[in-house]
Amino acid sequence: MWLRPSAGWARGRLTPWLFLAPALVLFALFKFLPMWRAVEMSFHEVRPYLGDRWVGGANYQQVVTDEAFLSAIGHTLVLAVGQTGGSVLLGLALALVLEGTARRLWIVRTAVFLPTVTAMAVVAEVWRILYYPAADGIANSLLAWVGVGPSQFLNSPDSALWSVMTVGVWRGAPYDMMIFLAALAGVDRTLYEAAAADGAGVWRRVWHVTLPALRPAFVILLTLAAIRSLRVFTEIFLLTNGGPNGSTEVLMTLIYRLGLERGELGVAAAGSMVLLGVSVLLTLLVGLSRRGRTGKAVT
Amino acid sequence: MLRRSASILSAALAAVVALTTLTACGSGDSQGAADDKAPLEIWVRKPPGSNTEKTHQQLAAKFTELTGVPAHVTALFDDFETKLQQAAAQKKLPDLIVNDTAQLGTLVKQGLVREVDRPGTKGGDQLIPASWDAAKGADGKYYGVPFSAQTFGLFVRKDWREKLGLAQPTSWDELDALATAFTTRDPDGNGKADTYGYVVPGSTKRGYLDWYFSSFLWSAGGDYFAKDGKTPAIGDGSSVAAAQRLKDQFCTAKTVVPGAATAETTQAHPLFETGKGGIYFTGPYNMARFDKSLGKDRYEVIALPAGPGGRSVSLAEGENAYLMAGSKNRTGQQRYAEFLVSPEGQTIGMAGDTDGNVVRLPVNKGMDLAAVRKDQRWLVFDKVYREAGRYVPVVKEWTPFRQASAEALNGMVADCGSDPKAVLGKLAGTFAAELTKQGVGS
């Protein structure tokens, strides 16, 4: 002991905080202060050079009662469920098909992974061309082969949300595939051999060996994807900008439109707070359900 | 020893933290004493690296040469308003921006611009009086200096029209007939039904569809508000007839290029350039682009024919120089705006016949357009501006009306089962509520 107990105690308490300080300062400047400012803004009519005007809960009232917001919340949820589910299923299918150690598989996997690392602006432009809503459009030419279409894709309120969802699944699935591939590498091969020796076919082996082994990967992917989907913005903004007829308007595009196109920063901030609340709630629910499951396993 | 090092490191970190915090606090103070020589930061809504940006840089360089005040131009195009809002939130606005006239209400409402003394503006009396309308707020005060004017005309594929043996349209019926012919009679002769009449930027982004529709609305005898400016007229008979006509082109005649309901202007331009559509109602700034991509001989520019309202009205727009709040150099702001509207500034801005023009049509009445530009097509726009140009209504803030209108019209053309009368009736209700919100109407 080279320090007196009281000084040592103080220093012991202080040192970790000093080490944490740089990160805390960065977080405070770039995360917590802006977040606090957003909370403030959500209770004001924001006018940077004239002084903000206190409006109480009026912005929140507008958010939860406005028809446009309610419809955007609905679209966000549909998109979150569809995109998450679609990406996970397609990702799993791709992972099962492309699993293995053969050298050439890496080329195929890289090719499949490309949509995820391609800039969204490029993806959107490519899909706008694919979706060209006339008979000579690429997707419509394919539909014509099977005697369907031509579809309006992004240009009809009936099909726009599904068309955007398809792009989201196409882009998200390879990312999920990589997580599944990593998880599949950890599956004990002897289990497959044992199952095969017991006479189990391919589907039985997938059902009883592979899927249980992938459970942690599923939990991580579903949590990440659900939260990501709630904040979907870029693909909508670039593909349809919320149209046609508001059929693809989601919370983020509506918040963007209100805040930065119409200058209603207070209402937009209130919308952001609602979105933050929903995201936190979702994360807590997933966390609680996992803790419950872990607790059960331990007992 | 290790612990001692840790203590020293901790102390060093604490010092860095304290310094960072102090620096962060200090940089927040953007307000300072007035300084007539302080450099001017100017933002222009032009694509970075474009010839239009270069013209603005020439203007700034000439201003500095004349006054000795440094001026730096920043060109921003995508999401200009977003970046402006971000700068406003940090209270670090540029000293002056050159941006659309239609942004006036939003800028005034948020207090981002300061009032302009029209009589005290040197050379202000030399401007076309109507151009000042574009800088007038709902309270009758001026919040900008008009810099450039523009209006819109029909860009028509001349080669297609002549191939089909049709004359230039002189009425709306002839215009629609031309669009139908472009759609059904294979004007490009490739044997496929892959051409259409109208190119329409029908997205709701920045209110594009309403921006496109307004000239047709006014020419059809319709309007946004009644003459008193306090009650909506968008749900009235002539307005509904104009909307019905628009919808018919989308849903019945099917003469509009597919994909229009989600197309912005950046996606609409290529449809005209690549021969998908043959009639595009747009501004003169596209001539330089289309001359390069399509060829000058293949299209012509004509004024919108008179509509059912008995006359031709064309949306007048343009750009104002806005003097932003919080500037250290208020005198410099004023002098820069005065330079922009002077004959010298306007001449540099017009950039001859090149695609670097930032003054589309001059606002200074002493300017002779034909003396600066040899391209006669500019005269079509000049004539339309002087005879048929009309600015958007003067309300406190136009953006919410334009946005609501674009969304309603977009819904109407995207859903062919919609009823234009009901759609515009509902829009009139939205307009009434917005008027009340802005302190007008009952």
Side-chain angles (χ1 to χ4, degrees), chain B residues 411-424:
Chain B
M412 181 189 76
V413 299
D415 173 14
C416 287
S418 61
D419 172 16
K421 193 168 190 293
V423 170
L424 292 201

Side-chain angles (χ1 to χ4, degrees), chain B residues 44-390:
Chain B
V44 295
R45 189 171 173 273
K46 296 286 175 267
S50 64
N51 288 335
T52 46
E53 181 195 8
K54 289 182 188 125
T55 306
H56 270 295
Q57 280 165 348
Q58 283 170 20
L59 281 163
K62 189 70 188 173
F63 173 78
T64 305
E65 188 189 315
L66 291 173
T67 62
V69 177
H72 177 253
V73 171
T74 303
L76 300 161
F77 189 71
D78 290 323
D79 305 321
F80 184 91
E81 283 80 23
T82 308
K83 283 159 188 154
L84 200 63
Q85 290 290 347
Q86 288 165 346
Q90 295 171 36
K91 296 208 173 181
K92 281 185 183 168
L93 284 171
D95 298 281
L96 187 139
I97 63 168
V98 179
N99 195 17
D100 295 348
T101 54
Q103 289 297 319
L104 183 102
T106 307
L107 295 170
V108 173
K109 181 190 161 201
Q110 295 184 302
L112 304 190
V113 284
R114 67 179 179 87
E115 193 187 335
V116 169
D117 175 18
R118 180 177 168 180
T121 302
K122 195 177 150 196
D125 56 344
Q126 291 304 305
L127 306 191
I128 296 169
S131 69
W132 275 105
D133 290 348
K136 190 158 75 174
D139 56 3
K141 295 175 183 170
Y142 294 89
Y143 292 96
V145 177
F147 167 60
S148 164
Q150 69 185 29
T151 188
F152 300 90
L154 290 166
F155 288 54
V156 177
R157 281 295 293 263
K158 188 182 171 195
D159 53 343
W160 288 8
R161 182 179 64 74
E162 288 175 346
K163 183 169 179 283
L164 298 176
L166 296 164
Q168 281 190 350
T170 55
S171 68
W172 280 20
D173 286 341
E174 286 178 21
L175 184 64
D176 287 347
L178 186 65
T180 305
F182 282 174
T183 309
T184 57
R185 291 172 54 190
D186 190 23
D188 62 354
N190 69 353
K192 294 180 189 164
D194 58 356
T195 55
Y196 299 86
Y198 296 108
V199 174
V200 180
S203 162
T204 53
K205 191 175 183 186
R206 301 187 91 230
Y208 276 128
L209 187 52
D210 174 71
W211 174 81
Y212 175 87
F213 177 65
S214 50
S215 303
F216 293 89
L217 171 73
W218 288 323
S219 300
D223 213 331
Y224 292 98
F225 306 115
K227 282 208 167 54
D228 62 2
K230 293 178 181 173
T231 44
I234 194 71
D236 297 355
S238 301
S239 305
V240 172
Q244 179 73 55
R245 206 166 179 122
L246 178 74
K247 190 192 156 194
D248 286 348
Q249 295 306 319
F250 272 85
C251 296
T252 313
K254 298 188 190 298
T255 53
V256 179
V257 177
T262 54
E264 301 160 21
T265 46
T266 47
Q267 286 145 358
H269 298 340
L271 297 172
F272 184 71
E273 292 169 307
T274 57
K276 284 284 178 195
I279 305 171
Y280 191 14
F281 189 66
T282 187
Y285 42 84
N286 277 321
M287 288 194 298
R289 173 179 170 150
F290 294 162
D291 284 356
K292 271 187 204 159
S293 56
L294 186 62
K296 197 173 177 177
D297 306 335
R298 296 171 77 179
Y299 73 96
E300 60 199 345
V301 178
I302 57 175
L304 179 69
R311 60 200 178 122
S312 169
V313 184
S314 188
L315 175 67
E317 272 192 340
E319 291 190 315
N320 289 332
Y322 294 105
L323 281 50
M324 307 306 283
S327 171
K328 282 182 190 167
N329 190 352
R330 291 166 68 96
T331 315
Q333 286 179 305
Q334 180 75 21
R335 289 173 77 188
Y336 197 87
E338 288 166 356
F339 169 68
L340 287 179
V341 298
S342 68
E344 188 172 16
Q346 293 272 289
T347 307
I348 296 173
M350 285 165 75
D353 279 326
T354 69
D355 64 354
N357 64 78
V358 292
V359 172
R360 320 296 194 193
L361 302 171
V363 290
N364 192 312
K365 60 189 173 193
M367 305 296 300
D368 179 7
L369 184 71
V372 182
R373 293 195 180 123
K374 306 299 169 218
D375 188 341
Q376 295 296 302
R377 295 173 301 176
W378 279 99
L379 299 177
V380 176
F381 290 100
D382 195 41
K383 190 166 182 281
V384 169
Y385 177 64
R386 286 166 196 269
E387 293 175 5
R390 181 171 169 183

Side-chain angles (χ1 to χ4, degrees), chain A residues 15 42 44 72 74 90 166 168 184 190 200 215 272 299:
Chain A
T15 308
S42 69
H44 288 88
L90 188 61
T166 306
L184 282 172
T190 55
R215 197 176 291 152
S272 308
T299 54

